[in-house]
Amino acid sequence: MPARDIIIDTDPGQDDAAAILLALGSPDEINVLGITAVAGNVPLPLTQKNTRIVCELAGKTDVRVFAGCDAPIARKLITAEHVHGTTGLDGPSLPDPTMPLQGQHGVDFIIETLREQPSGTVTLCPLGPLTNVGSALQRAPDIADRIQEIVLMGGAYFEVGNITPAAEFNIYVDPEAAEIVFKSGVKITVMPLDVTHKVLVTPDRVQALRNCRTKVCDVMADMIDFFERFDRDKYGSEGAPLHDPCVTAYLIKPELFSGRYINVEVETTSELTLGMTVADWWGVSEREPNAMFMGDVDAQGFFDLLTERLASL
């Protein structure tokens, strides 16, 4: 099988970094056409910078990086420095990037690429708020039929919320964009908290990264050491979940994941449940299914894949 053409949409974030590195370390399965940055975990000036830092860490300075939207479609930006630190990549000390930021806006790049590439050959991989992807679909409805699939990290059902009692961060930051995406008719695969909370970076798994004795693996281990302090304190777990690499792991080894094809709606009006992904796991609403909503993962298989591919960079 030829490598799958993808656009990564991201707001790095240590777990975004892991997702990008996993993709760049898997050229036989994944061909990264470009990476668009969006405001989310930290503001856009940092997410576009962090994206280029990660590409340079991987030695992939030829990857094109674009800055996208600096605020949600209809709301003020909410960020997550309390989780990721002031830079978004707190933990290791990494140099500022020297590779250029592309001049084109990230949303324009998404639209142009989908119109230029053969229809049904490009997969969009949002790892943060869905502002760039929702904006592209809003501005250019014709691209919906050209997207092969949208594989995203966001939402929850059994795990409910991590930024409010009812909502997961990525969806909560821009629920209007998420609503556009889920109502687009595009094939969608969702990696919710229900899956990502099962891929915990235990001490043994962090040590496996360090045992690789490569710069990329050492840096990722340092990022995890910083990143996990928040979730360990919050959940009392033995390690933090690595949310975003579930997206790229699915593209490489879909057999690691299992779920259900269900209806998912996004709450955009309630103050109490704003940003909630109302996932009809039990099929009680009789609404038409619109997303493959993952519910389980082979966690050790996931970490074996992540460690192997990061060690190759």
Side-chain angles (χ1 to χ4, degrees):
M1 292 288 291
R4 187 165 178 171
D5 288 338
I6 73 167
I7 296 172
I8 297 174
D9 187 66
T10 184
D11 62 336
Q14 293 89 349
D15 57 326
D16 301 74
I20 294 167
L21 292 169
L22 178 56
L24 297 179
S26 304
D28 291 341
E29 294 90 359
I30 294 175
N31 178 39
V32 179
L33 298 175
I35 305 178
T36 53
V38 67
N41 286 322
V42 287
L44 182 66
L46 287 173
T47 61
Q48 57 89 353
K49 175 183 176 181
N50 290 348
T51 301
R52 291 181 290 140
I53 287 172
V54 173
C55 290
E56 289 193 358
L57 173 65
K60 306 291 185 180
T61 56
D62 58 332
V63 175
R64 293 183 295 166
V65 176
F66 303 81
C69 298
D70 63 0
I73 288 175
R75 301 179 186 272
K76 291 183 179 179
L77 177 65
I78 294 167
T79 55
E81 288 89 349
H82 62 289
V83 178
H84 299 278
T86 55
T87 69
L89 292 181
D90 280 19
S93 178
L94 295 169
D96 286 345
T98 58
M99 63 183 284
L101 180 69
Q102 301 297 309
Q104 187 178 27
H105 193 281
V107 173
D108 294 329
F109 168 71
I110 291 171
I111 294 170
E112 179 182 284
T113 302
L114 286 164
R115 286 175 172 170
E116 289 180 349
Q117 295 294 317
S119 183
T121 65
V122 177
T123 295
L124 303 184
C125 300
L127 310 177
L130 289 162
T131 312
N132 285 343
V133 177
S135 296
L137 287 164
Q138 190 176 53
R139 283 174 43 191
D142 60 288
I143 65 173
D145 291 337
R146 304 187 65 83
I147 300 169
Q148 180 178 2
E149 186 176 3
I150 296 174
V151 183
L152 67 93
M153 189 277 130
Y157 176 63
F158 294 99
E159 291 287 322
V160 195
N162 64 354
I163 188 67
T164 75
E168 179 274 331
F169 177 81
N170 286 345
I171 306 299
Y172 180 76
V173 169
D174 198 339
E176 283 76 19
E179 182 180 45
I180 291 168
V181 170
F182 278 96
K183 289 186 174 179
S184 67
V186 177
K187 180 182 178 183
I188 298 172
T189 297
V190 184
M191 297 293 161
L193 298 181
D194 308 294
V195 163
T196 67
H197 281 183
K198 294 174 182 175
V199 289
L200 299 179
V201 282
T202 62
D204 286 347
R205 289 166 177 165
V206 177
Q207 189 58 48
L209 279 170
R210 295 200 183 279
N211 290 344
C212 297
R213 302 189 185 282
T214 67
K215 181 179 180 181
V216 169
C217 288
D218 284 345
V219 166
M220 181 50 56
D222 288 345
M223 286 186 186
I224 289 168
D225 284 344
F226 176 88
F227 175 64
E228 72 174 355
R229 93 228 178 275
F230 176 81
D231 287 291
R232 289 180 71 171
D233 291 344
K234 179 178 179 179
Y235 297 111
S237 58
E238 60 177 332
L242 271 187
H243 306 284
D244 295 332
C246 288
V247 168
T248 38
Y250 171 77
L251 298 179
I252 300 162
K253 277 195 167 184
E255 64 271 19
L256 293 173
F257 300 88
S258 61
R260 293 184 184 181
Y261 186 52
I262 62 171
N263 179 269
V264 180
E265 304 285 337
V266 179
E267 178 56 64
T268 61
T269 59
S270 167
E271 290 184 15
L272 190 63
T273 59
L274 180 68
M276 183 176 186
T277 44
V278 183
D280 188 10
W281 187 260
W282 305 112
V284 297
S285 70
E286 298 186 358
R287 292 191 290 264
E288 195 71 25
N290 62 345
M292 175 59 71
F293 201 83
M294 293 302 177
D296 208 357
V297 58
D298 173 359
Q300 191 54 52
F302 166 90
F303 277 101
D304 290 345
L305 175 67
L306 181 70
T307 303
E308 171 200 325
R309 298 305 170 87
L310 265 58
S312 73
L313 290 167

